[in-house]
């Protein structure tokens, strides 16, 4: 989860709050001070001189930041296992090497440049939309952060569907797909170790969002239940949700 999702998504959210908002505020302030109009007057293209460098910088730096987030998360997991589970660092990383394939790392790295591009593009676009006063700068800075975080989460869901259809991160060759029982681990489906005796690996291998949708389905208010069902179907969660309704 750290390599595939949490590391890159949390890094993208932090960058959206910091760099995305900074891009909007910087370009918006230039817009209020008519500096961008002055650039156009002397024949300079604001897209070329203000937008493209920021987009390229974030596309190049986002994988490095995601990698740093992944390593920090693994180090935190190793420390937690050492304190609470009496693991040593060597045992933790040996187990990590045995159970996690390299494609878990690659999937996060594939997402990160796209997240960087979206965050920078939204931040610069909202900055160019500033009109009139400093109040507009604040409003559009807030909007750019919200839009960036929303787009990161939606794109992460889209990438998850694409990787699912492409069968990326398949179970390792030495893993089994037998029915999981309580207290018995299944290396292709870690959730089986915590599942009931009647839950199979096929059932428990739904993406995390699908399991969350299955838990929320019974308590979703009736007016928004159709929208919830449509969204769950788009995310390939309909089998889990149908059993809960």
């Amino acid at each position: 989860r750290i390599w595939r999702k949490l590391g890159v998504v949390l890094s993208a959210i932090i960058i959206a709050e910091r760099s995305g908002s900074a891009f909007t505020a910087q370009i918006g302030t230039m817009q209020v001070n008519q500096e961008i109009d002055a650039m156009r007057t002397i024949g300079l293209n604001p897209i070329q001189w203000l937008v493209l460098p920021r987009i390229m910088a974030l596309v190049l730096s986002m994988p490095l930041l995601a990698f740093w987030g992944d390593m920090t998360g693994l180090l935190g997991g190793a420390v937690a296992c050492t304190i609470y589970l009496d693991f040593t660092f060597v045992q933790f990383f040996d187990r990590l090497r045995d159970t996690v394939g390299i494609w878990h790392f690659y999937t996060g790295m594939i997402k990160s440049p796209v997240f960087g591009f979206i965050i920078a593009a939204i931040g610069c676009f909202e900055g160019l939309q500033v009109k009139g006063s400093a109040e507009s700068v604040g409003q559009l800075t807030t909007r750019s952060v919200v839009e960036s975080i929303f787009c990161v989460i939606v794109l992460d869901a889209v990438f998850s569907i694409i990787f699912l259809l492409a069968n990326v991160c398949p179970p390792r060759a030495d893993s089994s797909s037998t029915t999981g029982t309580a207290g018995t681990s299944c290396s292709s489906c870690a959730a089986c170790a915590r599942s009931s005796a009647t839950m199979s690996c096929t059932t428990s291998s739904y993406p995390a969002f699908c399991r969350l949708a299955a838990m929320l389905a019974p308590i979703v208010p009736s007016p928004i239940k159709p929208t919830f069902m449509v969204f769950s179907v788009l995310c390939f969660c309909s089998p889990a949700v149908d059993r809960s309704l």
Side-chain angles (χ1 to χ4, degrees):
R1 295 297 183 184
I2 287 288
W3 280 356
R4 285 186 295 171
K5 198 169 290 287
L6 283 179
V8 62
V9 171
L10 290 179
S11 299
I13 290 175
I14 293 172
I15 293 302
E17 294 174 349
R18 184 192 180 281
S19 299
S21 61
F23 291 171
T24 303
Q26 291 167 359
I27 297 177
T29 302
M30 294 178 68
Q31 188 87 309
V32 170
N33 293 334
Q34 299 182 342
E35 295 176 38
I36 294 180
D37 293 336
M39 290 180 64
R40 292 193 178 100
T41 300
I42 62 177
L44 298 179
N45 187 346
I47 303 298
Q48 179 180 354
W49 291 93
L50 297 178
V51 176
L52 289 182
R54 287 173 167 83
I55 291 178
M56 292 178 62
L58 210 51
V59 167
L60 294 176
S61 62
M62 193 67 212
L64 301 176
L65 295 169
F67 177 79
W68 177 257
D70 290 342
M71 296 303 104
T72 304
L74 289 179
L75 181 61
V79 171
C81 287
T82 301
I83 295 174
Y84 296 107
L85 301 178
D86 293 329
F87 275 24
T88 65
F89 275 72
V90 174
Q91 290 174 326
F92 177 84
F93 287 105
D94 281 345
R95 184 59 178 163
L96 177 71
R97 181 188 59 193
D98 293 338
T99 57
V100 178
I102 191 62
W103 265 103
H104 291 79
F105 173 74
Y106 288 158
T107 53
M109 292 297 103
I110 291 171
K111 296 176 187 178
S112 55
V114 180
F115 291 167
F117 174 83
I118 289 297
I119 293 169
I122 291 176
C124 294
F125 173 79
E126 294 297 345
L128 292 172
Q129 302 306 305
V130 171
K131 304 293 182 184
S133 64
E135 182 180 0
S136 178
V137 176
Q139 292 173 347
L140 289 171
T141 300
T142 302
R143 182 187 298 177
S144 73
V145 172
V146 174
E147 290 176 351
S148 297
I149 295 175
F150 175 79
C151 288
V152 164
I153 294 172
V154 171
L155 281 174
D156 182 66
V158 171
F159 271 115
S160 297
I161 295 171
I162 293 173
F163 292 146
L164 177 66
L165 296 178
N167 198 26
V168 176
C169 297
R172 298 174 67 91
D174 58 346
S175 64
S176 64
S177 58
T178 56
T179 302
T181 57
T184 302
S185 64
C186 172
S187 41
S188 66
C189 180
C192 291
R194 301 185 298 274
S195 64
S196 64
T198 59
M199 182 177 292
S200 65
C201 286
T202 303
T203 303
S204 60
S205 61
Y206 283 113
F209 175 80
C210 298
R211 294 196 293 271
L212 178 62
M215 290 188 294
L216 293 178
I219 61 174
V220 172
S222 298
I224 64 172
K225 188 163 289 188
T227 303
F228 180 82
M229 286 297 299
V230 170
F231 186 70
S232 65
V233 168
L234 291 176
C235 292
F236 295 94
C237 301
S238 55
V241 177
D242 288 342
R243 286 195 297 270
S244 302
L245 291 176

